[in-house]
Amino acid sequence: MQLSKGINPIAKIMAVDGRRRPAILIRSSPWKAGTSETPWHDVFDLDNGRVRYYGDHRVDHTVPVGRTDGNAVLLETTRHHQGATPEQRALAVPLLIFAAVTRNKTPKGYVQFCGVAVIEKAEQIDQETEGRPFRNYRYDLAVLDLKQEGGGVDWSWIEARGDRSHSTAAALARAPRSWRRWVEHGHAVLPEVRHRPVQSEEDESTERQASVDGHESLELFPVPRQSRASISGSPGRIEASEELTPSALMHGLRNLKVHQVNGRRSRHKPLSLLWGIARVATGKSRLARWGEFRDEVSGLMVVFGHPESSVSPEYPFWHLHTSRLWEVRGITAEQAAKTQAATFDRLAPEAGMTEQAAGLLDDPFVRAQAVAVLRETYLADVDQHALMKRLGLAGCESASGIGAPDGVEQWDEATNPTERRDFTGSRIVRDIRLVRKVKRLHADHCQACGLQLATRFGTYSQGAHIRGLGHPHHGPDELPNLLVLCPNHHVQFDALAIYIDTHGIVRLTADDSSIGELRRHPAHHISEAHLRYHRALCGRDMVVTENQDVAPLT
């Protein structure tokens, strides 16, 4: 097994059912980062099961971008990693991730296995070394959970993939459980199978003691852990040396430094950040010229800002740069010292979400959580539907989204006819057989409170989709995406007033108080991925307060 380069593909073999590559070994070396040989900085955020890895194109390469050996092999396998069916994903080549580590003060010669990864996204980007620009590819990888395998990989899986006598299906049977689940369900299941280590206080104490004893830590780069003291001591700031993680992003959004007018917090920065998030969500460039920002954000301030606040978009445009969430280009600190709109008009700078923040916000889970955090923390008393519609984020204010069918099923009893009007359009069609099946399983008992609502000739309940079918949620119409709820709790669930935590407890979003445990049925599997998406819409996918560590719930 060779790890001489960053991207090390094992040679393809001709198996009984076609050609396949056993595996690709990925190695990252932090001491080379920023050099002419490796002018990029790979990002290892293993606590959240994410790796951002850069391809092997360099400024001195003459071949087209994507044709270097490493990029070519990763782009080839990306096609199968993005497969739409289990059959296509079964052909995906496993990525085995390694990172070089320092031992005995020696930075070379030692590597640490980090896990098995799936390519979530590959995109072509602009890079620069010594002032010379060049193109390259960047890969966002999801590191899978290997807890059931003790944190390692059974090498017989890779050997079977390299054995000509083994079919792809036979080799797949030896894969880690998380890999097999991903092959079966695709990227939708990644939130459930992504690596998220749970570290006990005893483990943390052991690590601290090892450091005291003089042994060097093998903790990977470049995501530092934060203590409670460091978080509470600087609630709004994200240090420049840190790699931005989803937890740190939410912490920064909850703790924006905003001025107050008559005892009320200004909405200028939250509205500007929502505007920036909306650009990411709608596929626009993350950076916009001052004139575009001024015109669009001024309108938001007029409609959704405090009546006593002046309309001054120049202040958030510049002052948001003090966090690592916002970037301003084309103007120096000296030029912006007085924060005057006339200066911005003359220099035409541009601003928007940082590249790191925009990369995180590409993930719909992270984006839903970020929007919910800003709405809940700073904008709870505005017209949510009007705000989301104005931003181009309509549907984010409810679990059902836009274009979803009505949540209340029709009564089977006859009613007097009412006037009808023909129309031409499209509407999502639910599979009513699934709704009837799940309601039968639970005998019309609400899974949140247990209520079985009596009618004249029977009982009544409603089927609620966890991840709404409408835009922008686009959830699947399937049994694991359904709950049985009474009308009251259906309305609350859809309006994001209640959510289901990671332990299956139904809670009020307003104060996180418990309603009770979600009632389950053995024949009704509920997708944790869809529950997590709903939690994100409620702003409860990660709990971040001043009195606790910034960490995702696991």
Side-chain angles (χ1 to χ4, degrees), residues 96-144:
L96 305 184
I97 310 299
F98 298 83
V101 294
T102 298
R103 286 187 181 175
N104 302 321
K105 299 182 180 179
T106 301
K108 298 182 180 180
Y110 297 96
V111 294
Q112 178 174 329
F113 177 63
C114 302
V116 179
V118 168
I119 300 175
E120 289 191 85
K121 182 172 65 173
E123 61 180 335
Q124 195 175 131
I125 61 168
D126 292 312
Q127 293 190 285
E128 181 180 302
T129 180
E130 299 178 351
R132 300 168 63 192
F134 65 99
R135 303 285 284 170
N136 196 7
Y137 275 90
R138 182 176 64 198
Y139 306 89
D140 287 336
L141 312 180
V143 183
L144 303 186

Side-chain angles (χ1 to χ4, degrees), residues 258-394:
V258 296
H259 70 275
Q260 296 196 2
V261 179
N262 297 330
R264 304 173 72 184
R265 289 191 291 184
S266 169
R267 295 172 178 165
H268 288 9
K269 285 185 177 179
L271 288 171
S272 299
L273 287 168
L274 278 174
W275 173 87
I277 292 171
R279 290 184 68 86
V280 175
T282 53
K284 296 180 181 178
S285 170
R286 63 184 177 87
L287 299 178
R289 291 288 183 185
W290 155 247
E292 184 179 1
F293 176 92
R294 177 197 59 214
D295 295 344
E296 295 183 5
V297 176
S298 292
L300 292 172
M301 292 178 178
V302 169
V303 178
F304 302 105
H306 293 304
E308 61 269 29
S309 294
S310 61
V311 178
S312 48
E314 62 272 17
Y315 286 98
F317 182 87
W318 171 253
H319 288 293
L320 273 171
H321 86 282
T322 56
S323 72
R324 283 184 48 230
L325 310 179
W326 190 262
E327 180 181 358
V328 182
R329 291 184 181 178
I331 190 169
T332 65
E334 293 75 16
Q335 292 170 326
K338 294 184 179 180
T339 320
Q340 293 180 341
T343 303
F344 296 158
D345 290 341
R346 176 169 54 86
L347 297 175
E350 57 182 7
M353 308 302 295
T354 64
E355 184 177 0
Q356 287 191 73
L360 291 175
L361 291 165
D362 272 337
D363 185 328
F365 288 90
V366 176
R367 185 167 62 245
Q369 172 83 355
V371 171
V373 164
L374 289 170
R375 290 169 52 210
E376 176 184 61
T377 308
Y378 309 98
L379 302 160
D381 55 347
V382 307
D383 184 331
Q384 299 294 319
H385 178 71
L387 175 61
M388 293 296 101
K389 184 177 180 180
R390 179 71 174 259
L391 287 164
L393 296 173

Side-chain angles (χ1 to χ4, degrees), residues 486-529:
C486 65
N488 284 351
H489 282 127
H490 190 177
V491 170
Q492 286 188 303
F493 190 84
D494 190 55
L496 310 179
I498 60 174
Y499 69 97
I500 300 162
D501 72 14
T502 54
H503 302 292
I505 304 300
V506 184
R507 297 186 180 276
L508 290 172
T509 307
D511 58 8
D512 299 311
S513 61
S514 171
I515 294 175
E517 186 173 354
L518 184 72
R519 289 155 175 82
R520 297 181 181 266
H521 189 283
H524 178 203
H525 167 69
I526 299 172
S527 168
E528 173 56 30

Side-chain angles (χ1 to χ4, degrees), residues 399-401 404 428 465-476 481 494 533 537:
S400 58
I428 296 171
H465 284 89
I466 303 169
R467 180 168 184 163
L469 306 185
H471 177 81
H473 313 310
H474 303 300
N481 192 32
D494 190 55
Y533 185 85
L537 291 173

Side-chain angles (χ1 to χ4, degrees), residues 66 72 74 130 158 225 338 388 425 483 521 534 540 549:
L74 286 181
E130 299 178 351
I158 306 302
R225 296 183 185 273
K338 294 184 179 180
M388 293 296 101
L483 292 175
H521 189 283
H534 184 268
R540 292 297 183 272
D549 287 334

